[in-house]
Amino acid sequence: MPLFWRIFLLNAVVLIAATALLLGPVTVSTPVLLTEAAVLTVGLAAMLIANGVLLRIGLAPLQRLTRAMTTTDLLRPGARPPVGGHGQVAELITTFNTMVDRLETERATSAARALSAQEAERHRIAQELHDEVGQTLTAVLLELKRVADHAPPAVREELHQVQETTRAGLDEIRRIARRLRPGVLEELGLTSALRALANEFTGPALAVRHHIDADLPPLSRDTELVLYRVAQESLTNAARHAGARRVELSVRRTPAGVELRVRDDGRGIDGAPEGAGISGMRERALLIGAALSLGAAPDRGSEVRLTVPTSHRSH
């Protein structure tokens, strides 16, 4: 039955009941007696309460749908309002759920294309940094060394300083290239790549401890790349934004699949708005059907947990 007719009939029942009371044996004196006023007040209150209860029951599914519309997040898929009510109300909720399913599928598809293009662009930039800029700076270093060998002693010291600055720039370019394109991931696998990543972030201001199970199941290239990128982003946030001193990185095998956990002792992320880095982690998790959770660590700081289910471990 259409929603209009349901509400119309609910109100019609109340009005018919009121009319029946007026046409029945109930009479009203002039002036109205106290007992008659009490009876009319009770009757009016009963009709209003009955009308309110009936409308509340009839419109409850729409209220649940409204709450779902305001809280639905395509980066946190799966939540759907239950289909309730009758007729057009149930049809509206079903249509909304179907629309969200389609939007999540389209977003996952577009995100996969975007992230694939992003990885390809990172690969290209890293290759150019390594082949073009890296080789150019290497040639500059060799030329500086040749000039320094034939330069007067007064100038030689300055040339050595220029050499060290150029060498530091070359090392930084190589470090950026490694972050853009994790060659160790392609060549040696996830375990070696994560260990190298932990060592790269370890320094005087930050200690990164890592534990990686030796019996990890076979993982697809996409899954390994997502695990690596999420770990990389988590360590970057801990080093740059959280003010952490210690970070624990672990990858372990679970009955449900594989779990990556990165925990730091920094300021935490509760209440902070999610930036592009966290949104990127959520989109990557969706690509492989993984669950990503971010929150406060049990003692202090924050914790990032990525759980890859067994059905999505490998192709």
Side-chain angles (χ1 to χ4, degrees), residues 137 140-141 144 157-173:
L137 288 180
V140 170
L141 278 175
L144 285 173
E157 182 63 26
E158 296 182 4
L159 289 175
H160 284 322
Q161 293 179 0
V162 175
Q163 278 183 288
E164 292 303 318
T165 302
T166 305
R167 185 175 290 108
L170 180 60
D171 292 339
E172 180 67 14
I173 287 176

Side-chain angles (χ1 to χ4, degrees), residues 73 75-76 107 111 115 233 237 273-286 292 294:
D73 187 353
L75 290 179
R76 298 177 175 86
R107 181 182 179 89
L115 291 176
E233 183 65 30
N237 289 338
E274 293 190 358
I278 295 179
S279 297
M281 288 194 292
R282 293 195 184 280
E283 290 182 349
R284 291 181 183 277
L286 289 178
L292 179 73
L294 301 94

Side-chain angles (χ1 to χ4, degrees), residues 22-87:
L22 292 177
L23 297 178
V26 179
T27 59
V28 180
S29 303
T30 304
V32 180
L33 299 177
L34 183 60
T35 55
E36 294 174 344
V39 170
L40 291 175
T41 302
V42 171
L44 178 62
M47 288 187 292
L48 291 175
I49 292 174
N51 189 41
V53 170
L54 292 174
L55 287 176
R56 173 70 68 178
I57 295 174
L59 298 178
L62 291 180
Q63 292 178 338
R64 291 195 296 268
L65 178 61
T66 301
R67 288 195 297 269
M69 287 180 174
T70 57
T71 58
T72 297
D73 187 353
L74 297 181
L75 290 179
R76 298 177 175 86
R80 299 289 185 273
V83 179
H86 304 279

